[in-house]
Amino acid sequence: MLPLDAFAKVCADVRPGEDADQVDGLTPPVVAAPATLDEASAVMRTAAEHGLAVVPSGTGSKLGYGRPVERCDVLVTTRNLDGIIKHSPGDLTLHVEAGLTFEALRETEADGWGQHLALRPPENGTIGGAIATDVAGPGRLLHGSARDLLIGITTVRADGTIARAGGKVVKNVAGYDLGKLYTGSLGTLGLIVDATFRMHPAARAVRVAVVTDDPGRAVQAVLHSQVVPRAIEIDRPAGSDETTVAVEAETETPDETSARLHELLGGTPAPEPDWWNRLPEGEVLAEIRSLPARLPEIIKAVKDLPLRGSAGAGRLYTTPDYTTPDGVEELREALKPIGARVVLVRAPLAVRKSVDVWGPLPTLPIMRRVKDQFDPDHRLSPGRFAEGV
Amino acid sequence: MADTLRDLAERCTRLLGPESVISDPVRLRTYECDGLTSHRASPGLVVLPETAEQIAAIVRACGEAGVPYVARGSGTGLSGGALPRTDGVLIVTARMRRILDIDIPNQRATVEPGVINLDVTRAARPHGYYFAPDPSSQQICSVGGNVAENSGGAHCLKYGFTAHHILACEIVTPDGEIAELSRDDPGFDLLGVFVGSEGTLGITTKITVRLTRLPETVRTLLAAFDTIGKGGDAVSAIIAAGVVPAAIEMMDALSIEAAEAAVACGYPEGAGAVLVVELDGPDATVEHQFAQVERLCREAGAFEIRVAADDTERALIWKGRKSAFAAMGRISPAYIVQDGVIPRTSLGEVLGRIDALSRESGVRVANVFHAGDGNLHPLVLFDDSVPGAQERAETVSGAILDLCVEHGGSITGEHGVGADKARYMPRMFSDDDLDTMQMVRCGFDPAGLCNPGKVFPTPRLCGEVPGVRKGPHPLVAEGKADLF
């Protein structure tokens, strides 16, 4: 029996892959879109029976993350798993399917919920994608990322086994916190089917921006102040001596907080930034992870490149030159003395094939052993993460 | 002492020196339990290392000898997570007590695992910072223990648990390697899964914690209600208003009676329930929300509200709550503390069911809890001199956990599973769920020597194909392996 038939038996929405479904230049022979947890489990089990490589996907917006996959026999998309299972306002929790998009969630939240999921990834995509790639948006400073907001997760393992961890309550230490393990797993450990999150009240907030030639001082002033910043973002165009620092803070007294922030930040007041939570334009996008106090050194070290992102949380984006294959390595070398890491977030296929996407991975031996347990045949997004994972 | 342990004792003595190895049976008894005193086992050997390298060497030695080992910080855990093995080594981190770095510009501190939780705050406070996780044992519990248990506390409603405040951990893996797990590592979040793994994935030897800015203002009030239901209504109203207090704690009449007898906290007379609500943050925001909370408590039927005017009054309000567990001694010879969690909105119903359970069984249950996040600490009271009383109390205690699971909650909110609640895990998780968790365990600790017997009821052996298990494992039958 052709694999396609085998999948069609267990899942209603199955079709052959087309050019538009390509993952890293590979056209998947099968595209399966399960609509229920049981279908998802059956699809994964069928793939296991046929020894096929599976690439989990949501809207497909982040399929270019990491290294190129080596095989893609079945693209499993969660687009039919896009519902809100339960919102419990009194418990401040939300249970959703992994294929729910942020656009859809934001629309529903705006309908008088008065509370929100404190994850605002810069681009639309799915909940499952945000977990798998650990994107968070500016609020990372106050609320962390998916790993900090997840309280329960349902996944399907490589062999089709359904596995749950965590639960529906915010406070819970029973068993291993597998939600955290799946955060940043890039589709290499299993298919994320649904997730439960802690919600936050939609608090009043102000946003203040200034232009300054001393962003290091400005960021430190806000970090150590009594204002409670939700986000401290910066934008420094390539080659410029001036940086825009923008702060978002939750407050019941916006005018007072706004005045306080201007006093703390110094510099010249600037208009509402149009770059807020937008990734810098560029074919190659790299993330710099560092201690927040190293900001001035980073700004200096990458003077010729644009810099934007969450200075308060120590996560900045830049667009390194890739006209030479060494562009990323040069950036890494330049930032090494500062103790900053460089991770390639997005790049054309040819670049991702030729450069080290991740930089040093000291815990790789442990990750390999965990991977071997979850996916012994290495069929899940093979090659996407590091060697052997 | 068995030959293996004797050899190990000699090897550890060469590694650490004689002052750091305890093998005298009388001294070993000091370590026979942690904060859960109903579970006791005298360890085979106790070692008191001072460096990560020493711990790595001990772990390697245990691995070579096939001897299980258990890590212990201050021994204040309430689930028997640090319960020793009579055939194993207890690795005590109490001598690793240095605060290595306070890095204010980056809002973090790096400490050794034996450092006391409150000492981190003491060191950070002059700079205007503190370490947010505040388990009730914070004056004696260790940061390493907090990491192992993912400890909570009264203030985690707003500030989260230990997991939210750990930025990196240096660990000794079960194969005796020293590894650094960091939040900045790309790929799956090993640090996240390590925190709260109850000492089963390795031993932490250095911890980088987040420091939190001391709030500009802290305001605390005590509200008294004639019934616990009205107190619950106040909690719901506060959350519905979009206010996230730093803490919302509730005590029922029986626990108020005990606290009154123990520390004379002077809570309002005739209260069926008291609520302690604390708000912190910037002055203006706190003032605004505090007025809201006061109004919502009155609307829910509070017959008395006391607002702490200063730190002394604030401490007095907290005194009753913080002494509640210990105070049970005033009204009962013995008690079991439970740690179940329920969705906050089920509070009224579950408390009613607990009350019914108590009346039907004749076993008294006092309720003290973190009402904001639905974390109940029912205290099941019994007289251990009465035959059968403990068993009856344990039955009620188990039934309370069933109630929590039935309402979509958890068997433990902050105390951990440990040795105590491993048998309840199948009530919350399927075999497949537990097998999947075991896969992480097998990735870290294929030999199963690192704190065996905790968290999971009957773990499968690493390498065994998951699925239905019938009869003894062949390796066990051949005497080649042990099911811990």
Side-chain angles (χ1 to χ4, degrees):
Chain A
M1 185 165 60
L2 282 170
L4 194 64
D5 299 337
F7 285 101
K9 267 190 166 173
V10 299
C11 178
D13 189 345
V14 171
R15 60 172 174 81
E18 298 160 6
D19 284 354
D21 302 313
Q22 277 198 354
V23 180
D24 298 329
L26 306 170
T27 306
V30 178
V31 177
T36 64
L37 177 59
D38 286 340
E39 276 195 352
S41 162
V43 164
M44 295 295 276
R45 200 169 49 242
T46 306
E49 281 162 10
H50 290 79
L52 301 176
V54 172
V55 176
S57 162
T59 60
S61 65
K62 296 175 188 69
L63 281 175
Y65 270 56
R67 303 196 320 175
V69 292
E70 290 152 7
R71 284 167 67 199
C72 179
D73 303 323
V74 189
L75 184 71
V76 178
T77 156
T78 55
R79 68 185 156 75
N80 290 334
L81 287 160
D82 61 351
I84 291 174
I85 300 169
K86 191 177 183 193
H87 174 220
S88 310
D91 296 317
L92 283 173
T93 60
L94 176 70
H95 187 189
V96 296
E97 290 182 316
L100 177 73
T101 63
F102 278 92
E103 259 175 26
L105 174 63
R106 295 281 107 94
E107 236 172 71
T108 317
E109 279 176 355
D111 195 16
W113 275 19
Q115 46 186 253
H116 69 125
L117 172 61
L119 277 179
R120 298 194 175 261
E123 295 164 320
N124 185 37
T126 62
I127 297 285
I131 298 170
T133 56
D134 192 28
V135 291
R140 183 185 286 274
L141 177 64
L142 184 62
H143 296 299
S145 74
R147 53 103 73 190
D148 301 291
L149 299 164
L150 258 179
I151 57 174
I153 193 163
T154 306
T155 59
V156 178
R157 283 194 338 232
D159 63 1
T161 306
I162 296 167
R164 291 186 172 88
K168 297 187 193 110
V169 286
V170 172
K171 204 169 178 185
N172 174 16
V173 293
Y176 293 159
D177 193 349
L178 297 188
K180 291 196 172 58
L181 191 72
Y182 278 92
T183 304
S185 64
L186 296 156
T188 62
L189 289 182
L191 176 71
I192 301 166
V193 177
D194 66 61
T196 307
F197 292 96
R198 172 195 186 153
M199 301 287 276
H200 282 86
R204 295 176 76 183
V206 286
R207 202 180 287 168
V208 162
V210 302
V211 174
T212 171
D213 58 4
D214 194 355
R217 192 210 58 78
V219 169
Q220 285 288 315
V222 176
L223 272 181
H224 304 300
S225 75
Q226 284 296 345
V227 176
V228 181
R230 189 194 278 166
I232 306 178
E233 300 280 298
I234 62 147
D235 180 59
R236 201 281 320 257
S240 173
D241 291 326
E242 305 230 287
T243 302
T244 308
V245 180
V247 178
E248 192 175 79
E250 295 188 351
T251 176
E252 294 284 350
T253 49
D255 292 345
E256 185 232 338
T257 305
S258 177
R260 205 157 157 181
L261 280 171
H262 275 294
E263 198 180 310
L264 287 163
L265 288 165
T268 320
E272 173 90 0
D274 56 2
W275 49 265
W276 182 268
N277 201 12
R278 279 175 52 195
L279 298 171
E281 306 272 332
E283 276 199 273
V284 176
L285 186 67
E287 189 183 50
I288 300 169
R289 302 180 177 187
S290 77
L291 294 173
R294 310 306 291 260
L295 180 65
E297 294 157 89
I298 292 172
I299 286 180
K300 220 164 127 189
V302 295
K303 174 98 195 181
D304 300 331
L305 296 174
L307 207 54
R308 184 185 290 170
S310 308
R315 298 280 176 113
L316 299 169
Y317 290 106
T318 188
T319 52
D321 178 19
Y322 75 101
T323 48
T324 67
D326 299 332
V328 175
E329 281 311 318
E330 277 168 19
L331 179 64
R332 216 166 252 149
E333 278 306 307
L335 293 172
K336 206 170 162 187
I338 306 166
R341 304 184 195 205
V342 174
V343 172
L344 201 61
V345 177
R346 193 170 54 203
L349 188 57
V351 179
R352 287 194 292 127
K353 273 182 178 162
S354 61
V355 305
D356 175 4
V357 170
W358 306 108
L361 295 167
T363 56
L364 191 56
I366 307 176
M367 289 200 202
R368 280 191 188 128
R369 294 204 306 254
V370 173
K371 166 77 174 179
D372 286 344
Q373 289 285 326
F374 277 75
D375 178 22
D377 306 323
H378 292 205
R379 289 184 300 100
L380 297 184
S381 302
R384 167 67 51 74
F385 187 49
E387 192 75 37
V389 180
Chain B
M1 188 191 269
D3 285 350
T4 324
L5 273 178
R6 193 173 299 118
D7 292 347
L8 208 52
E10 277 171 23
R11 198 161 161 188
C12 289
T13 306
R14 281 199 301 277
L15 283 167
L16 312 177
E19 300 78 24
S20 304
V21 180
I22 299 171
S23 56
D24 167 37
V26 177
R27 290 180 66 202
L28 287 175
R29 286 200 59 191
T30 310
Y31 297 94
E32 68 182 3
C33 66
D34 59 12
L36 184 75
T37 53
S38 54
H39 289 54
R40 288 170 197 264
S42 216
L45 186 69
V46 170
V47 292
L48 294 145
E50 289 175 38
T51 67
E53 288 72 22
Q54 288 178 347
I55 293 184
I58 296 161
V59 166
R60 280 197 299 273
C62 286
E64 284 162 25
V67 168
Y69 52 89
V70 176
R72 172 183 161 122
S74 300
T76 56
L78 292 171
S79 58
L83 179 72
R85 298 266 306 200
T86 51
D87 59 347
V89 178
L90 188 71
I91 302 173
V92 180
T93 58
R95 288 189 184 164
M96 299 173 74
R97 280 209 174 176
R98 287 179 303 161
I99 293 177
L100 302 170
D101 185 33
I102 299 275
D103 176 3
I104 295 303
N106 291 304
Q107 301 178 307
R108 62 192 62 204
T110 303
V111 304
E112 290 186 331
V115 168
I116 302 304
N117 171 300
L118 197 57
D119 285 345
V120 182
T121 289
R122 287 198 182 107
R125 197 180 281 137
H127 305 281
Y129 280 83
Y130 74 113
F131 179 45
D134 65 336
S136 301
S137 54
Q138 70 177 145
Q139 300 197 17
I140 39 169
C141 66
S142 71
V143 179
N146 296 163
V147 167
E149 299 297 312
N150 188 14
S151 303
H155 292 80
C156 53
L157 176 62
K158 178 171 177 182
Y159 291 101
F161 318 100
T162 299
H164 297 109
H165 299 273
I166 302 299
L167 302 171
C169 277
E170 178 190 82
I171 67 165
V172 169
T173 65
D175 37 288
E177 300 290 324
I178 297 173
E180 164 106 8
L181 310 179
S182 159
R183 273 182 91 116
D184 284 341
D185 288 336
F188 32 91
D189 186 358
L190 292 177
L191 177 67
V193 81
F194 181 85
V195 176
S197 61
E198 306 196 25
T200 60
L201 299 181
I203 300 172
T204 182
T205 49
K206 192 160 77 182
I207 303 146
T208 303
V209 303
R210 182 199 304 284
L211 296 176
T212 304
R213 191 85 175 90
L214 281 166
E216 195 168 36
T217 304
V218 181
R219 306 257 355 234
T220 310
L221 68 75
L222 177 86
F225 300 85
D226 51 15
T227 67
I228 206 150
K230 287 183 183 171
D233 291 345
V235 176
S236 299
I238 291 167
I239 300 294
V243 177
V244 180
I248 312 183
E249 303 286 300
M250 188 145 58
M251 292 167 71
D252 71 356
L254 195 52
S255 46
I256 297 167
E257 180 194 328
E260 214 54 74
V263 296
C265 48
Y267 284 178
E269 259 178 62
V274 293
L275 206 58
V276 176
V277 185
E278 189 157 282
L279 294 173
D280 69 9
D283 290 340
T285 300
V286 170
E287 285 315 313
H288 178 91
Q289 294 187 338
F290 198 73
Q292 248 181 316
V293 167
E294 250 189 285
R295 178 175 55 76
L296 292 168
C297 283
R298 278 191 207 291
E299 284 173 8
F303 67 79
E304 186 173 339
I305 290 179
R306 292 183 190 165
V307 176
D310 52 35
D311 282 353
T312 317
E313 289 190 22
R314 182 179 165 230
L316 196 64
I317 287 180
W318 275 108
K319 194 174 175 187
R321 167 61 187 92
K322 292 206 169 176
S323 67
F325 285 15
M328 288 302 144
R330 298 294 181 128
I331 59 167
S332 176
Y335 63 93
I336 299 169
V337 184
Q338 270 304 358
D339 181 38
V341 187
I342 51 167
R344 180 171 38 232
T345 46
S346 309
L347 210 58
E349 194 196 330
V350 172
L351 290 174
R353 299 268 302 267
I354 292 177
D355 188 42
L357 265 173
S358 169
R359 274 185 281 110
E360 285 158 21
S361 61
V363 175
R364 289 189 300 163
V365 180
N367 285 296
V368 179
F369 48 93
H370 307 300
D373 42 31
N375 186 191
L376 309 176
H377 288 310
L379 297 141
V380 184
L381 312 181
F382 65 97
D383 183 347
D384 48 358
S385 67
V386 175
Q390 180 164 354
E391 288 70 21
R392 280 197 296 281
E394 276 172 6
T395 307
V396 169
S397 175
I400 292 173
L401 288 188
D402 279 339
L403 270 178
C404 293
V405 175
E406 197 184 301
H407 282 82
S410 169
I411 58 171
T412 174
E414 55 185 0
H415 296 171
V417 178
D420 184 37
K421 289 188 271 303
R423 66 202 149 114
Y424 294 119
M425 285 289 276
R427 300 190 191 185
M428 234 183 120
F429 297 107
S430 72
D431 285 353
D432 284 342
D433 300 340
L434 294 173
D435 271 341
T436 307
M437 291 178 191
Q438 275 294 303
M439 290 178 156
V440 178
R441 174 76 185 274
C442 292
F444 275 82
D445 180 27
L449 294 174
C450 189
N451 207 12
K454 313 291 167 64
V455 186
F456 301 104
T458 45
R460 71 189 173 96
L461 293 171
C462 299
E464 184 186 351
V465 179
V468 181
R469 289 183 292 278
K470 279 181 184 162
H473 189 278
L475 285 174
V476 177
E478 285 173 39
K480 286 183 182 162
D482 234 345
L483 259 184
F484 296 113

